[in-house]
Amino acid sequence: MSDGSSFYITTPIFYVNDVPHIGHAYTEVASDVLARWHRQAGDPTWFLTGTDEHGQKILRTATANGVTPKEWADRLVETAWQPLLQTIDISNDDFIRTTDARHEVNVQLFLQRLFDAGYIYTGDYEGAYCVGCEEYKQPGDLIDGTGPYEGQQVCAIHSIPVELLQERNYFFRMSDFTQPLLDLYESNPDFIQPESVRNEIIAFVKRGLTDLSISRQSFDWGVKVPWDDSHVVYVWFDALLNYITAAGYGYDDEKFARLWPATHIVGKDIARFHAVIWPAMLMAAGIEVPKQVFGHGWLLVGGEKMSKSKLTGIAPNQITDTFGSDAFRYYFMSAINFGQDGSFSWEDLSARYQAELANGFGNLASRVVAMVTRYFDGVIPDPGESEAADERVRTIERRVVDDADAAIERLAIHEALSSIWELVDELNGYITAQEPWALAKKPELLDRLQTVLFTAVRGVGTLAVLLSPVIPEATGTLWQALGGVGEITDVPLRTAYHWETDGKVWPLEPLFPRIENIEGSGGPAARE
């Protein structure tokens, strides 16, 4: 298996029964920021995302739209899910579809190996099934319905009635793995994070695991069970395997050994599948368990989890068309503590855009470039003798780089940005205190002016490198204005302060133009 030096990160694969909303985009951006950071830090990095295209939910949606499930999946992937990646500037290395041959064939290979090893048997099952979750529900997972569903039991997540199903299926001996999973959680406390999700999973497993129904006979849209084609594989058992089928399992042993195990970024509502069923499957197959499962919180709009069915779904382009992809990425990574629930509002987005991006970072960059242009004809000056204020900036530069990298290692993206913003605030305060515009009026203080602007340019360049994984478009533009040597993504992040310039700055348009606001939930009007 992997020697631990690679960073293989995945998002969940998303159902193609509908178009993406900002909850999906939030997961994509978080995973992308982590991938970009590690990639730019020089770590061998692989970033996987994709779509989940089998199961009863997809079949019903396709049928309701008068097309085959494959036609529906192809349409949604082409018109919605892959365009999402461009909309929010995602740098994935691979895109897996569960209808890919490389996936379906190796799902069957995996299943056959478990069957041959005695981990799969036949049995009858009756239970309450949520098509939205594609999961049999326990009584504790159900709540009393309201409105049109009053008097019925509904899924606590989807708020739709469950269906009573009775089938003769194949079962996976998941109960065999109750203790091995508890041993895993104890020996590796970081396997499930954050702590709230870890505690919930441990409590669930301690109650004892039951065997898992892993096939369906009532419909035929899915991967055929290899020894019995009257059954299709349960959609979650199929979907979870994407993380290894995309990494070469069954057809590229070298690639699989190089990439696996992975870090899985998922919503907390599906953490149980990833932290219980998935490692049990891998243990049964003799494959190393994932490196980590991180269950982030929900995006809330009006106090409710983001959902198309509840009319709280906001399309990512409703934000990016006005604010741009960088602002979208920055806002969701900075405004929400990664791992906790977070609330979205247009007012908060607009306020943070103006205060932190436009005034805080964007104005800092513009001022520094403009002063070098005005006072030194665009040539970055050599520094004179340093003073305490200059040394303080350089000290903070180095500390911020280390602190941000350490936060990323903990998957604490919001903490990394908070650290980086210490340098933004320090540089803004430094320029205010040093008053280069006043120094420029006194020829005898030329050396001091040179030192101040040199220090400011170096700090802004370090910020550009550090923020490149989060706001790649703006930092790429700033990099060109600073005369950065090579591509900004080639500058090693862990020594960001060693970036190089060709010695001259170039004109810089506002990185984050001012936006007019409209009161209410409709969002802002337009950029100026």
Side-chain angles (χ1 to χ4, degrees), residues 174-447:
M174 197 165 71
S175 58
D176 290 359
F177 296 94
T178 300
Q179 193 57 49
L181 286 169
L182 291 173
D183 292 343
L184 168 65
Y185 306 152
E186 183 177 358
S187 64
N188 183 0
D190 291 332
F191 177 72
I192 308 170
Q193 287 295 319
E195 194 69 19
S196 57
V197 176
R198 169 182 160 80
N199 291 340
E200 180 184 324
I201 296 295
I202 291 175
F204 172 77
V205 176
K206 280 184 174 179
R207 293 195 292 268
L209 298 176
T210 57
D211 291 345
L212 178 69
S213 172
I214 62 163
S215 72
R216 300 288 183 267
Q217 274 190 301
S218 55
F219 60 92
D220 63 358
W221 176 238
V223 178
K224 300 291 186 182
V225 171
W227 61 87
D228 184 350
D229 64 7
S230 68
H231 288 250
V232 295
V233 180
Y234 168 46
V235 65
W236 268 105
F237 210 86
D238 159 9
L240 287 164
L241 286 163
N242 90 89
Y243 303 125
I244 61 173
T245 60
Y249 173 79
Y251 61 95
D252 190 336
D253 292 343
E254 184 279 327
K255 178 181 179 182
F256 187 54
R258 173 167 46 85
L259 294 181
W260 190 256
T263 295
H264 300 312
I265 305 298
V266 301
K268 66 179 180 180
D269 52 329
I270 58 172
R272 188 184 299 179
F273 294 97
H274 288 79
V276 179
I277 298 175
W278 180 221
M281 291 166 59
L282 293 168
M283 288 176 179
I287 298 172
E288 188 175 357
V289 299
K291 179 180 178 182
Q292 188 175 47
V293 175
F294 190 96
H296 67 69
W298 291 339
L299 279 189
L300 306 176
V301 175
E304 288 195 330
K305 179 193 173 189
M306 183 71 56
S307 167
K308 286 286 183 183
S309 62
K310 293 183 179 179
L311 303 180
T312 57
I314 298 171
N317 68 288
Q318 288 179 259
I319 295 174
T320 59
D321 285 351
T322 296
F323 289 94
S325 61
D326 278 351
F328 182 103
R329 293 167 62 93
Y330 173 80
Y331 173 75
F332 287 107
M333 293 302 97
S334 62
I336 299 169
N337 287 2
F338 194 54
Q340 299 178 16
D341 292 348
S343 295
F344 168 80
S345 74
W346 289 104
E347 292 79 9
D348 188 41
L349 169 61
S350 181
R352 286 178 178 269
Y353 176 94
Q354 191 61 40
E356 297 168 23
L357 290 177
N359 293 342
F361 175 62
N363 189 49
L364 167 67
S366 295
R367 292 170 75 197
V368 170
V369 169
M371 286 188 287
V372 173
T373 301
R374 179 177 180 181
Y375 301 135
F376 295 101
D377 294 326
V379 177
I380 299 171
D382 292 326
E385 187 175 345
S386 291
E387 295 184 2
D390 315 321
E391 293 301 328
R392 174 180 164 84
V393 170
R394 294 181 187 125
T395 297
I396 290 176
E397 262 186 278
R398 289 176 175 268
R399 178 176 58 77
V400 161
V401 169
D402 292 342
D403 289 351
D405 188 55
I408 292 292
E409 288 294 330
R410 299 191 303 274
L411 307 186
I413 302 171
H414 59 289
E415 291 183 19
L417 279 168
S418 180
S419 293
I420 293 167
W421 236 252
E422 289 182 43
L423 181 56
V424 173
D425 293 339
E426 176 65 25
L427 285 168
N428 276 315
Y430 173 78
I431 290 172
T432 298
Q434 299 302 314
E435 299 183 315
W437 50 87
L439 297 174
K441 296 176 180 178
K442 300 177 180 179
E444 69 273 17
L445 296 178
L446 178 61
D447 281 356

Side-chain angles (χ1 to χ4, degrees), residues 2 4-11 13 31 34-35 38-39 43-49 93-96 102 239-249 251 255-265 278 289-293 411:
S2 169
S5 63
S6 65
F7 182 71
Y8 174 26
I9 187 167
T10 75
T11 70
I13 52 173
S31 303
L34 294 168
H38 280 273
R39 199 180 287 128
D43 303 328
T45 300
W46 193 258
F47 173 24
L48 173 71
T49 190
D93 296 289
D94 197 358
F95 188 96
I96 183 80
R102 61 172 171 164
L240 287 164
L241 286 163
N242 90 89
Y243 303 125
I244 61 173
T245 60
Y249 173 79
Y251 61 95
K255 178 181 179 182
F256 187 54
R258 173 167 46 85
L259 294 181
W260 190 256
T263 295
H264 300 312
I265 305 298
W278 180 221
V289 299
K291 179 180 178 182
Q292 188 175 47
V293 175
L411 307 186

